[in-house]
Amino acid sequence: MHAIYTPVFSRFKWKTIVVFALIFWLSSSLLLDLVVMPELYSSGMMAQPDFAVAGYSIFWVFNRVELICAALVLTGVLVLQRMPGFLHRRTAIAFSTLLLGIALTYTYVLTPEMSALGLQLDLFNPASTVPGAMDLMHQGYWGLEVLKLVVAGALLSLNYKPAA
């Protein structure tokens, strides 16, 4: 525990780690939501019966990256709150904990359930409609995604104050 407080891991370096983890996480999330998924939809891949497997593979990897980013952000905020001069301690801890909760929800609730709903199990009777539960899960996903972007942006603004 003493290694966290050495001059090597100063306040500036932990703030840099938190800011870069948030920027990487937000940019990769926006890339997936605004570029990759619409491209897959427009190319017709989402209409294929094996898209659930491909979607699960994409989101399996991305969800683990999100968990790493969320863990880095929470760790950095917890270290920073122990250092003098860090403002908004409770708000930053609450925001970073909420971000970790969202990443955990994506990884262990939404992605497996959505993949299970989209999985084609009957080869002779292909499903022609999307299950109603899938629409609810998409709404939940987009709601959590908007919440994640707002909270991560707020946390980024708490940690990043440009030099005047």
Side-chain angles (χ1 to χ4, degrees), residues 11 15 76-95 154-161:
R11 178 177 178 216
K15 279 186 115 173
V77 166
L78 289 174
V79 169
L80 285 172
Q81 66 95 18
R82 301 283 293 170
M83 294 183 179
F86 183 66
L87 304 175
H88 312 291
R89 293 172 191 224
R90 290 185 181 182
T91 306
I93 292 172
F95 283 173
L155 188 59
L156 189 60
S157 71
L158 286 177
N159 281 300
Y160 179 70
K161 303 288 183 199

Side-chain angles (χ1 to χ4, degrees), residues 59-112:
F59 279 99
W60 191 91
V61 171
F62 183 72
N63 288 338
R64 274 39 182 204
V65 171
E66 277 192 315
L67 283 175
I68 291 170
C69 290
L72 265 175
V73 169
L74 180 60
T75 302
V77 166
L78 289 174
V79 169
L80 285 172
Q81 66 95 18
R82 301 283 293 170
M83 294 183 179
F86 183 66
L87 304 175
H88 312 291
R89 293 172 191 224
R90 290 185 181 182
T91 306
I93 292 172
F95 283 173
S96 57
T97 304
L98 180 62
L99 288 173
L100 180 62
I102 290 171
L104 287 169
T105 302
Y106 284 159
T107 304
Y108 297 112
V109 177
L110 281 178
T111 301

Side-chain angles (χ1 to χ4, degrees), residues 89-159:
R89 293 172 191 224
R90 290 185 181 182
T91 306
I93 292 172
F95 283 173
S96 57
T97 304
L98 180 62
L99 288 173
L100 180 62
I102 290 171
L104 287 169
T105 302
Y106 284 159
T107 304
Y108 297 112
V109 177
L110 281 178
T111 301
E113 283 295 318
M114 290 172 81
S115 297
L117 281 175
L119 195 60
Q120 182 68 29
L121 296 176
D122 189 2
L123 295 175
F124 302 111
N125 188 12
S128 60
T129 62
V130 177
M134 184 71 85
D135 290 336
L136 287 173
M137 290 194 159
H138 279 121
Q139 290 172 1
Y141 171 80
W142 286 108
L144 284 175
E145 195 68 16
V146 167
L147 179 65
K148 177 179 78 175
L149 293 175
V150 168
V151 170
L155 188 59
L156 189 60
S157 71
L158 286 177
N159 281 300

Side-chain angles (χ1 to χ4, degrees), residues 4-96:
I4 293 174
Y5 298 109
T6 61
V8 175
F9 291 109
S10 66
R11 178 177 178 216
F12 174 74
K13 289 186 181 183
W14 276 106
K15 279 186 115 173
T16 305
I17 290 169
V18 169
V19 168
F20 279 122
L22 280 169
I23 289 171
F24 173 74
W25 187 8
L26 287 175
S27 63
S28 61
S29 186
L30 288 172
L31 180 72
L32 183 72
D33 290 339
L34 301 177
V35 176
V36 174
M37 294 311 289
E39 183 63 31
L40 291 176
Y41 183 76
S42 67
S43 70
M45 186 174 174
M46 289 187 169
Q48 300 296 323
D50 58 346
F51 178 71
V53 176
Y56 185 75
S57 300
I58 292 169
F59 279 99
W60 191 91
V61 171
F62 183 72
N63 288 338
R64 274 39 182 204
V65 171
E66 277 192 315
L67 283 175
I68 291 170
C69 290
L72 265 175
V73 169
L74 180 60
T75 302
V77 166
L78 289 174
V79 169
L80 285 172
Q81 66 95 18
R82 301 283 293 170
M83 294 183 179
F86 183 66
L87 304 175
H88 312 291
R89 293 172 191 224
R90 290 185 181 182
T91 306
I93 292 172
F95 283 173
S96 57

